[in-house]
Every structure is written in structure tokens, then in C-alpha cells.
Amino acid sequence: MKKTLSIAVFLWLLFIMTYNLLHSAPWGDEWIEYTYSQASFQNGEFYESVISTFQPPLYNFIMHFWLKINTSVLWFRLFNLIPGILSGLFLYKTIQMLYHQQLAILAVFLLSISYQWIYYIQECSEYTLMLMFLFASIYFYILSLEKFTIPNVIAFTLMCVGAIYSQYGSIFIVLPLLLFFYFTILFSKKKTHILQTTLIYFGNLLLFAIPLYYFFIRVQLSQNGSEEIPITIQHIKEFPTTLGVIIGYLFHLNTSDFLIHLLQIFSIFFIGLNIFFLFKKPFEWQKASLVFTLFVAYTLHYYLVIKHIYAMIHPGLSGGFYFRYSNFYLPLVCILLPMIFYETILRFRQRILQHLFASGVIFLFLCVVSISLPAILKNWKKSYDDDFAKIWVSHQGYHEITYIIGVASYGFHYYVSEILQDMENTIDYTKHVHSSLEIDLENLPDTFWLWRTNWGGDAYGTTLEAAQTQGYQIEVFIDEDYYGQLARCVKP
């Protein structure tokens, strides 16, 4: 029965990761990853491209060779299934090692209903790779504590390196894990283990940490800006409640003020349960250290965000605790939520209290499923370039002036070339613009198209307004505001 349930939960995981995988065309960020990953190593183009993204190089490096096999969008997105399944396996093995198979199955199901995890499985970016390495880091951390061997410790440190090389935010989890493991070995007073661990750490420092800092972090930080932000009483008041909001983001529970208040209450409750767990007897360092990792990561993360050091979008503009900048919590959350609630139930000596608490947890879990799962199955559509290309080609738009606005140029070239076999010789009238200043609004062509998707500036709205003022007949094919707009304007 347990084996059947294990197989079933991984089949479900595979289904939920691939469901409607191509529902949305790639959008701006994905096209950048797609394009930069194919940049040349020889002329330094790849290095310069990665530097400009303010992220580490590993994802684009791997994707460079992945796209050598095939450059289709389907193949591009299928890559994430590998780290996705491996993440589930590492989570499963970690919980099984700490507890038992039933709780491991529940943890994997919890991962499968994380809206943000599925979102980034189906959107090509470095986050899924980072999460896989974090799941692996925690697994090998626990394994190395239980059974110290050189291969285990090397695997643990290499998984930490992989996480940092995938996304810088992973340092919040990786740093406390590395420190806790090292101090655990020091307190063991086993000189051979101390020497071996020290040499492995030092080797990783020389081979990976120093090159990453010198060639990437140092250069990228020089291009960023910062400002002095004072810590206020409000920041201190919000410290115990923001963690719940972050967890809510991961499961798509941020849709109303009422839910936000519930998540703030949950945050205090969850932090309290974690502290309560630390005083359990007998004390189990492997499990307790994961709780300490959460507290260290959250404290450091909270401080750096409110000081506008981490999650900076532009100088003076912070991304705050927005889920994309807090994805690194997911592995710990998927381990600690089942662990803490299970441990709490065991602490109740009276059977009636166990049942009441378990019923409450099951009810909350079903509420999360009812909110997160429909949102996942509904899927999202952040770009309409594929639909635009079909409409544009069917109306022979390649014979008329077409303003391709902003990053829409990526999707335009990809999807139009899929339909038209001789794209370069057919399209003579496309103009790539980022701003309405690049369009002569006083002398618009007799017939023209506006093709905009995602980052497009003001060119679409301003040009359409100018055309309306001049009496053009306007046919709007699709208008999804930020996510995509396609219109054809004809002068009567």
C-alpha cells in the first residue's frame, strides 16, 4: 500500500508539472534566458550576457548545452522536469530518513500544490534548479550528520555550491547549513573528521566561492545601487508576521486582506510551534538544526530586505518579500510544516487532543488545496505571441508596417518563423520600437500593426490614441493589457 501511494504521488507530481505546459507562450524573462543561454562562449558574449542578469551562471551554462539538442519551446521547458522530479525525490528521502514513508508522501504532495513551485517549473528560469540543489543540500546535510563519510560531505558541499551558483538567494539557507554542520563536527572532537571537513570546505572555497565572487558577484554588485534605510518600529512589529505571508505566497494564499491577516496569525503560531519543538525530549539535533536554519535564514533575509540590500530591483526600489525573491524557503517549508505539526500531535498525551489538533491541521490543509490547486490547474498565460503570430500571418501582416514593441521581438521572430518557411525574405516592413518617441505619430502609415507583449513601454497606447484621433479604423484582435495587445490600424 505504501509503495503504491509513493508511486501515485510521484505520478501526480509529474502530471501537475506537465499539465498545460505550453498553455502560455514564453514571456520577456523566458525569452531573455532562451537568448542569453545560446550566446557564444568564444567571444565573451555569454559572460557579458549573464553579468547583465544579476544572477549566477549555472542555469544559463547548463541551458546552453540543453538547447544544442533542440531549440523548441517544448524542449526548453521540458528541462525543468529533471530538477522538478529530483526535488521531489530528495524531499521524499529526507522525510523518510527523519520519520517514515507516510509523512514523506504527504510532504511530496505538499510540494505539488505549491503554486509558485509549479509556476517556476513551467516558466524557464534559474529558480527550479536552485530549489533542486537546496532540497539535495538538506538531504545530504542530514545524511552526513547521521553517517559521516567523505563522499557524503563532498556531496553536501557540492549541492550547496550548486544552489549558490543557481541563484544568490539560496545563500540564506546554505550558509546556516554549512555553519551548523561544521560546528557539529567541531563539537564531536573527532580530529580526523574535523580535518577532512576543513579540507573539503577550503577546497570548495578555492574552486568555487572565490571564482564566483571575482568573476560574477563583484562585477554585478558594482552595477547595483543601494541607499541607507532606517529600521523602524513598524519593521520590528512586522517581523513575527511576515514569515506567514511568505509561506502564503508560496501556496497562492495572498488574494485578500482577510487571508493576509490569517497568514499573519499563522506566522506567529508556526514560529511558536517551532520554538516549542526545540524543547522536546529527547533533543534531536538533526531536526532541531533545520528549525534553527529557518530562524537564521528568516532573520538575515528580513534584515537585508528592509535595508534594501537583498531583492533590489533598481536603486531605491526593492522587490520586498515578493515570492520570487523568497522561493528559497520552499524546501524548508515542505520539510518543517509536516515535521512540526506531526511532532506537535505526538506531544499531546490525550487522544482527544491529538484528534482535535489533527482535524484542525487536515482542515487547514484542505483549505490550502482548495485555493492553490484550482489556480495551478487553471494555469496562467503571460504572453500571447503564439496567438498573435497566427492572426498576423492569416491577415498577411507581413505586407504591412508592423511595430514590434519592446521585448515582443523575441516571440515575434520565433513564432512567425515557425509558420512562415521563408521569414527573412517575406517580412520587409517590421519596425522594432521601445517607446512612442521612435514612432512619427504625426505621419503614421496608411496601414500598420501594433504588436505588444509584456515590457513594451508607452508605444502601444500612445500610438493607438494618435491613430484614433486621426480617424483610423482600428481592429483590436487581442487586448490583455500588460500581457499582450495586437491591433491593426487602417486609414480610411
Side-chain angles (χ1 to χ4, degrees):
M1 182 64 178
K2 294 177 185 176
K3 185 177 180 180
T4 303
L5 285 175
S6 298
I7 294 171
V9 79
F10 276 99
L11 287 175
W12 162 254
L13 189 67
L14 185 62
F15 164 76
I16 205 72
M17 288 192 299
T18 55
Y19 179 74
N20 259 351
L21 186 62
L22 296 180
H23 175 64
S24 176
W27 73 296
D29 277 353
E30 285 185 280
W31 284 125
I32 289 173
E33 300 289 0
Y34 180 86
T35 305
Y36 286 6
S37 294
Q38 296 179 74
S40 171
F41 289 153
Q42 284 78 8
N43 60 10
E45 183 186 3
F46 179 86
Y47 175 74
E48 293 299 328
S49 298
V50 174
I51 286 294
S52 69
T53 64
F54 294 97
Q55 70 186 40
L58 186 58
Y59 175 77
N60 293 115
F61 180 80
I62 294 174
M63 191 57 66
H64 178 87
F65 296 100
W66 181 261
L67 291 173
K68 291 284 187 184
I69 302 172
N70 193 292
T71 56
S72 70
V73 168
L74 176 61
W75 183 252
F76 182 40
R77 284 185 173 164
L78 278 176
F79 171 78
N80 277 348
L81 296 188
I82 300 171
I85 288 294
L86 288 175
S87 295
L89 285 171
F90 282 122
L91 172 62
Y92 182 88
K93 296 296 289 183
T94 301
I95 297 293
Q96 190 179 38
M97 188 163 42
L98 292 172
Y99 290 98
H100 46 68
Q101 198 169 356
Q102 296 96 310
L103 200 63
I105 292 169
L106 179 64
V108 174
F109 183 74
L110 183 67
L111 174 66
S112 76
I113 62 166
S114 168
Y115 177 89
Q116 302 308 333
W117 187 72
I118 297 297
Y119 181 99
Y120 284 105
I121 285 287
Q122 297 198 345
E123 178 184 295
C124 299
S125 68
E126 73 279 9
Y127 294 104
T128 309
L129 193 65
M130 171 198 72
L131 291 171
M132 180 201 73
F133 280 116
L134 285 179
F135 277 112
S137 297
I138 295 172
Y139 169 74
F140 282 109
Y141 168 76
I142 299 296
L143 186 64
S144 298
L145 287 178
E146 291 198 351
K147 186 179 181 181
F148 184 98
T149 66
I150 291 178
N152 284 348
V153 178
I154 290 175
F156 164 57
T157 54
L158 286 180
M159 294 305 104
C160 291
V161 167
I164 297 171
Y165 264 71
S166 300
Q167 216 278 330
Y168 292 128
S170 61
I171 191 67
F172 292 111
I173 306 298
V174 165
L175 181 61
L177 285 179
L178 288 169
L179 290 175
F180 289 149
F181 182 78
Y182 192 75
F183 284 121
T184 302
I185 300 303
L186 283 180
F187 290 139
S188 73
K189 297 181 180 179
K190 296 178 180 179
K191 293 182 179 179
T192 303
H193 290 180
I194 294 172
L195 178 61
Q196 290 170 335
T197 304
T198 302
L199 290 174
I200 291 171
Y201 273 40
F202 188 69
N204 279 281
L205 180 69
L206 289 177
L207 290 174
F208 301 109
I210 292 176
L212 182 66
Y213 173 78
Y214 183 80
F215 290 108
F216 289 93
I217 298 175
R218 178 182 62 88
V219 182
Q220 289 166 334
L221 285 177
S222 69
Q223 300 174 27
N224 206 350
S226 62
E227 56 180 325
E228 186 60 33
I229 305 293
I231 298 177
T232 65
I233 295 295
Q234 189 63 28
H235 288 142
I236 298 172
K237 288 181 179 179
E238 290 176 355
F239 176 76
T241 61
T242 300
L243 181 60
V245 177
I246 292 171
I247 295 174
Y249 282 153
L250 295 175
F251 294 94
H252 203 57
L253 308 181
N254 59 329
T255 53
S256 69
D257 291 338
F258 176 71
L259 267 176
I260 291 294
H261 291 313
L262 283 181
L263 289 168
Q264 290 172 330
I265 295 170
F266 169 80
S267 181
I268 297 172
F269 180 69
F270 182 62
I271 289 173
L273 282 181
N274 275 279
I275 294 172
F276 180 65
F277 167 76
L278 293 176
F279 292 97
K280 72 183 289 291
K281 295 179 182 179
F283 183 77
E284 298 172 274
W285 171 241
Q286 290 98 324
K287 299 174 184 177
S289 63
L290 296 181
V291 176
F292 284 125
T293 297
L294 176 69
F295 288 154
V296 172
Y298 177 57
T299 303
L300 184 60
H301 175 227
Y302 190 86
Y303 174 79
L304 293 180
V305 168
I306 64 176
K307 293 292 286 183
H308 284 203
I309 296 172
Y310 177 72
M312 285 287 289
I313 300 174
H314 300 292
L317 180 61
S318 170
F321 299 100
Y322 182 68
F323 50 80
R324 184 174 69 175
Y325 304 107
S326 302
N327 266 331
F328 56 82
Y329 284 107
L330 186 61
L332 271 182
V333 167
C334 286
I335 293 171
L336 289 180
L337 278 176
M339 187 176 90
I340 295 301
F341 288 123
Y342 181 76
E343 289 282 353
T344 305
I345 290 171
L346 292 181
R347 294 294 297 273
F348 291 121
R349 295 185 178 180
Q350 295 183 1
R351 189 62 61 86
I352 184 66
L353 291 177
Q354 287 184 343
H355 288 318
L356 284 173
F357 188 81
S359 300
V361 170
I362 291 170
F363 175 75
L364 287 174
F365 188 72
L366 291 175
C367 288
V368 172
V369 171
S370 68
I371 294 173
S372 188
L373 191 55
I376 291 171
L377 293 175
K378 183 182 177 183
N379 211 291
W380 46 85
K381 195 166 177 70
K382 294 179 69 173
S383 177
Y384 290 79
D385 287 322
D386 50 349
D387 295 332
F388 286 3
K390 294 173 186 175
I391 295 169
W392 187 81
V393 170
S394 68
H395 286 76
Q396 296 184 342
Y398 41 80
H399 291 316
E400 299 166 340
I401 296 292
T402 302
Y403 294 107
I404 309 298
I405 302 170
V407 295
S409 57
Y410 293 112
F412 170 82
H413 283 290
Y414 180 87
Y415 284 107
V416 170
S417 64
E418 272 199 331
I419 300 171
L420 298 177
Q421 298 300 315
D422 192 14
M423 174 183 165
E424 295 300 326
N425 295 328
T426 305
I427 301 170
D428 301 317
Y429 303 105
T430 57
K431 299 181 182 298
H432 300 282
V433 299
H434 292 275
S435 166
S436 59
L437 296 175
E438 300 175 55
I439 302 175
D440 187 353
L441 299 178
E442 300 298 324
N443 297 288
L444 292 170
D446 289 343
T447 303
F448 66 94
W449 292 74
L450 292 170
W451 178 318
R452 174 190 181 275
T453 170
N454 302 120
W455 307 323
D458 66 337
Y460 180 87
T462 304
T463 307
L464 202 64
E465 185 179 337
Q468 288 172 331
T469 303
Q470 296 173 36
Y472 278 73
Q473 294 177 351
I474 299 171
E475 184 176 7
V476 177
F477 293 95
I478 296 178
D479 185 355
E480 291 295 332
D481 192 33
Y482 173 75
Y483 296 118
Q485 295 165 313
L486 180 71
R488 181 172 181 260
C489 304
V490 180
K491 195 170 187 177

